[in-house]
Amino acid sequence: MAIGKRIRFFRNRKGMTQKQLGEILGFLGKTSDVRMAQYETEARTPKHDLVKEMANIFDVSTHALTVPDIDTYTGLMHTLFALEDMYGLEIGEIDGEICLRLDKSDYSTYTSMFDMFHAWQEQAAKLEQGEITKEEYDQWRYKYPELDTSKHWAKVPSQAVSDMLMEEFQKIEKEEKKTSKKKKQK
């Protein structure tokens, strides 16, 4: 998840508007929401000092806001935390082993992620059983989903497309309610 989406996520989690956050950060009242919108849409990238201020306001680590560096253990942890927020990845324990699992409460996300993970697990099992080479396994991973023959994967729409679709569905729903109300009044 990019920094703009993380800022929006934590701002919404705190129940703040862009204007409120901008004013707390010291931006002028008239431009505070515009400035925050620029960060959230990634038209501008906040400098490290500003990220630190936002992290303090949200009461989170700066790692939770920035695009994680998975080359470090801390960055990897924050990547996993972002996956928890975005896709319902959960951590648990089975037979004394730490495991990651998918949250079943969001069926659509669960089935899409399950199918993709299942395809990955199938390839890993083939490697373990000697059915494919490490090179073939790596080629599958690094070209995913191009070389995936399981057809278990699904493309997840961008947040912008998802938001646009939701707006259109809400408009349609409002129109249907208006039509239904008019029919009842007749």
Side-chain angles (χ1 to χ4, degrees):
M1 184 185 284
I3 190 166
K5 290 180 181 175
R6 298 299 289 167
I7 292 169
R8 183 180 325 121
F9 174 82
F10 286 110
R11 177 181 57 75
N12 288 334
R13 188 169 171 258
K14 282 286 189 182
M16 301 172 78
T17 64
Q18 289 177 333
K19 187 172 193 68
Q20 289 169 328
L21 177 57
E23 288 174 349
I24 291 170
L25 290 168
F27 302 137
L28 297 175
K30 292 181 180 179
T31 62
S32 59
D33 54 342
V34 173
R35 186 93 174 261
M36 293 314 305
Q38 289 174 335
Y39 291 132
E40 289 184 12
T41 61
E42 296 179 27
R44 296 179 74 167
T45 303
K47 292 189 175 12
H48 184 68
D49 289 345
L50 186 58
V51 171
K52 282 171 63 173
E53 281 186 65
M54 282 189 258
N56 286 334
I57 291 166
F58 299 144
D59 194 25
V60 299
S61 165
T62 56
H63 295 287
L65 283 176
T66 57
V67 177
D69 173 9
I70 62 169
D71 292 335
T72 67
Y73 291 130
T74 302
L76 176 60
M77 287 300 294
H78 282 280
T79 300
L80 294 170
F81 298 151
L83 293 173
E84 179 180 26
D85 294 338
M86 295 169 58
Y87 299 108
L89 189 66
E90 297 177 336
I91 190 163
E93 187 176 324
I94 298 176
D95 298 328
E97 296 275 335
I98 298 294
C99 66
L100 297 174
R101 64 179 183 272
L102 299 169
D103 177 11
K104 292 181 180 178
S105 66
D106 180 348
Y107 184 74
S108 176
T109 299
Y110 172 78
T111 55
S112 295
M113 295 302 299
F114 177 86
D115 289 344
M116 289 184 276
F117 280 14
H118 189 260
W120 179 18
Q121 185 275 326
E122 285 176 344
Q123 294 301 310
K126 285 181 182 180
L127 174 64
E128 189 175 316
Q129 295 165 4
E131 294 176 29
I132 61 173
T133 66
K134 174 74 165 120
E135 186 176 314
E136 290 170 318
Y137 175 71
D138 286 345
Q139 187 175 22
W140 182 89
R141 290 187 309 146
Y142 301 142
K143 288 194 165 195
Y144 182 85
E146 182 184 331
L147 298 180
D148 182 24
T149 57
S150 70
K151 300 299 178 217
H152 289 296
W153 55 274
K155 186 170 182 171
V156 177
S158 70
Q159 187 63 49
V161 171
S162 180
D163 290 345
M164 181 194 70
L165 288 171
M166 286 305 296
E167 284 179 31
E168 291 302 316
F169 288 140
Q170 288 171 348
K171 287 178 188 175
I172 291 168
E173 188 176 13
K174 282 181 184 178
E175 287 300 317
E176 288 175 349
K177 285 181 182 178
K178 283 181 185 176
T179 304
S180 175
K181 209 176 204 180
K182 287 180 183 176
K183 285 181 181 177
K184 286 181 182 178
Q185 290 176 349
K186 288 181 181 181

